[in-house]
Amino acid sequence: MSVSKLVFTPLNYTGWGSLKQLLPEVRKYNPRHILIVTDPTLEKIGLVERVSVPLHKEGYQVSVYSEILPEPPLETGEKLVDYTRENQFDLVIGLGGGSALDMAKLAAVLSAHEGPVADYLNLSGSRNIEKKGLPKILIPTTSGTGSEVTNISVLSLESTKDVVTHDYLLADAAIVDPELTVSVPAKVTAATGIDALTHAVEAYVSVNASPASDGLALQAIRLIARSIQTAVNNGQDQQARTDMSHGSFIAGLAFFNAGVAGVHALAYPLGGQFHLPHGESNAVLLPYVMGYIRQSCTKRMADILNALGGNSAFLSEEEASRQCVKALEKLVKDVGIPTTLREFNIPEEALDCLTEDGLKQKRLLARSPLPLKKEDIHKIYKSAFEGVITEPS
């Protein structure tokens, strides 16, 4: 029997209006100077004030750092960590999508360490994380990345992505309030929603899956599948936003414990080379990767079909797994995301370079139920370019 290690953030608040738990959490640390890491858009629409103003009224000194770019490059992480080291902060609050949350984690932990952020990268770094750093509270404003419950910070490099990862990057508290996602535009709602769905799907078929991660993954798929189109079409729908928020949160818990695999491994080079947003990178690849590995996990694909709202009761596992791939493909299309690399203006001549960078993501590829070699990765990219789902020959 295999042994599963399960790790969760120490404290999580979820549900409509849960932001009201922020002040009680902040008081636990008795901070003098608080750093809020966020992005410029949230400053413009007033979401940052919903966090900073109550803190100011309580008498805390608050600094807002909003120089966070989407798909943050390594340089962004270096600048933020330097800024955090130069100032005497007692607490870090991350507010935003995955990029802001990832950078908040990075700032809180690496500010207590020496050397550049590059030294701590998973693929090429030479230093180890040894100190917990500053306490951190993470507050997502999108329903997608699950960053508030993972120990990973993702950075864009010249042609791919890499991560800093350690359990010290886990939030001390996560506050997941669906009300904060109401203003998210439809396009972002779709992309982040499919990102969350991908987390759950890949966690469920991962070689590291466990009964605990399975339960989380399937429930996340159910919640997202039943609500994503409504959330895209009507962002004010409270039930849809709540379902998406909870779905993203528990999908994050599922993939943090079971891991993601081929979809993410191949998505990273799309972000690195062509700056395609992470959610769209996952979405365009999801049906093609799952179609390619389908034969290695037909029973689990049948379970996913049921969670998506289908019915495998009168189908063979083989047919149910095929229907699952079609259902994933339809869902991506229905929420308005392009379904081929060609539609994202990715040139066919880039497939070789994408393959080389995808092959480097060994940490992710190791979790695939079907081992993906160089020729497999190239076939998947080519099928995603042409819009035709293929399988191993």
Side-chain angles (χ1 to χ4, degrees):
M1 298 292 288
S2 61
V3 175
S4 299
K5 177 185 177 183
L6 300 171
V7 182
F8 300 98
T9 45
L11 183 62
N12 302 285
Y13 296 102
T14 67
W16 199 272
S18 56
L19 184 61
K20 65 180 179 291
Q21 299 298 326
L22 176 61
L23 279 178
E25 283 305 307
V26 169
R27 292 184 189 118
K28 291 179 182 179
Y29 301 100
N30 193 29
R32 292 165 297 173
H33 195 181
I34 300 171
L35 172 63
I36 297 176
V37 179
T38 187
D39 65 65
T41 301
L42 297 188
E43 275 199 302
K44 291 178 183 176
I45 65 175
L47 271 185
V48 174
E49 289 185 352
R50 291 190 60 181
V51 172
S52 64
V53 170
L55 294 173
H56 281 300
K57 288 181 177 179
E58 284 273 317
Y60 299 117
Q61 181 183 354
V62 179
S63 295
V64 176
Y65 188 99
S66 60
E67 298 174 30
I68 303 300
L69 301 173
E71 314 297 320
L74 178 59
E75 183 183 8
T76 295
E78 300 282 12
K79 287 182 178 179
L80 173 58
V81 170
D82 286 344
Y83 173 82
T84 311
R85 287 171 177 164
E86 291 165 3
N87 294 273
Q88 303 222 335
F89 294 110
D90 306 298
L91 173 69
V92 176
I93 296 175
L95 175 70
S99 297
L101 301 188
D102 279 6
M103 293 303 96
K105 292 188 280 189
L106 204 67
V109 175
L110 291 191
S111 62
H113 293 75
E114 296 180 349
V117 174
D119 286 355
Y120 297 89
L121 291 172
N122 178 68
L123 295 178
S124 58
S126 58
R127 293 177 184 252
N128 296 319
I129 291 176
E130 298 175 345
K131 302 174 185 177
K132 190 174 187 297
L134 300 171
K136 49 201 167 299
I137 299 172
L138 302 182
I139 308 170
T141 60
T142 64
S143 298
T145 68
S147 180
E148 69 276 8
V149 292
T150 69
N151 68 353
I152 300 169
S153 180
V154 184
L155 293 156
S156 296
L157 306 183
E158 186 175 343
S159 63
T160 186
K161 294 186 178 184
D162 201 351
V163 302
V164 176
T165 178
H166 193 283
D167 281 354
Y168 285 158
L169 270 72
L170 285 169
D172 293 280
I175 298 175
V176 185
D177 189 340
E179 188 176 1
L180 301 180
T181 70
V182 168
S183 61
V184 176
K187 182 179 178 181
V188 179
T189 298
T192 55
I194 297 296
D195 186 19
L197 179 69
T198 304
H199 293 154
V201 168
E202 289 212 281
Y204 192 66
V205 301
S206 168
V207 297
N208 294 333
S210 69
S213 66
D214 286 350
L216 293 165
L218 288 176
Q219 179 63 1
I221 294 168
R222 294 185 194 102
L223 289 170
I224 294 167
R226 80 186 188 192
S227 59
I228 186 170
Q229 285 182 267
T230 301
V232 170
N233 296 333
N234 178 15
Q236 301 296 316
D237 190 294
Q238 183 171 335
Q239 186 60 57
R241 288 296 192 185
T242 299
D243 282 352
M244 290 300 297
S245 186
H246 284 135
S248 172
F249 168 69
I250 62 175
L253 293 174
F255 95 80
F256 175 45
N257 284 283
V260 289
V263 179
H264 278 72
L266 274 62
Y268 277 5
L270 290 177
Q273 293 185 33
F274 296 97
H275 307 292
L276 193 64
H278 179 65
E280 293 180 353
S281 298
N282 275 335
V284 70
L285 291 171
L286 177 61
Y288 302 102
V289 174
M290 299 309 296
Y292 195 85
I293 70 170
R294 178 190 61 79
Q295 293 180 15
S296 68
C297 50
T298 54
K299 171 64 171 69
R300 292 201 158 235
M301 295 284 282
D303 294 339
I304 293 171
L305 173 65
N306 292 329
L308 288 168
N311 186 357
S312 69
F314 302 103
L315 302 175
S316 66
E317 285 183 12
E318 174 78 11
E319 180 56 29
S321 67
R322 291 186 184 278
Q323 291 297 322
C324 177
V325 174
K326 291 180 181 178
L328 292 171
E329 186 177 30
K330 182 177 185 299
L331 188 56
V332 172
K333 185 175 182 179
D334 286 348
V335 297
I337 299 175
T339 56
T340 68
L341 295 181
R342 193 196 305 265
E343 292 174 83
F344 282 108
N345 297 316
I346 309 295
E348 188 170 11
E349 54 267 28
L351 300 188
D352 288 343
C353 191
L354 288 169
T355 299
E356 292 294 338
D357 281 343
L359 193 60
K360 295 175 183 176
Q361 298 296 331
K362 300 186 185 303
R363 177 182 65 90
L364 302 177
L365 293 173
R367 301 169 186 146
S368 175
L370 177 72
L372 296 176
K373 300 178 181 178
K374 183 176 180 179
E375 57 268 29
D376 301 307
I377 293 171
H378 192 275
K379 285 180 181 178
I380 293 170
Y381 277 130
K382 188 169 178 60
S383 67
F385 178 80
E386 296 176 343
V388 179
I389 292 172
T390 59
E391 298 184 2
S393 52

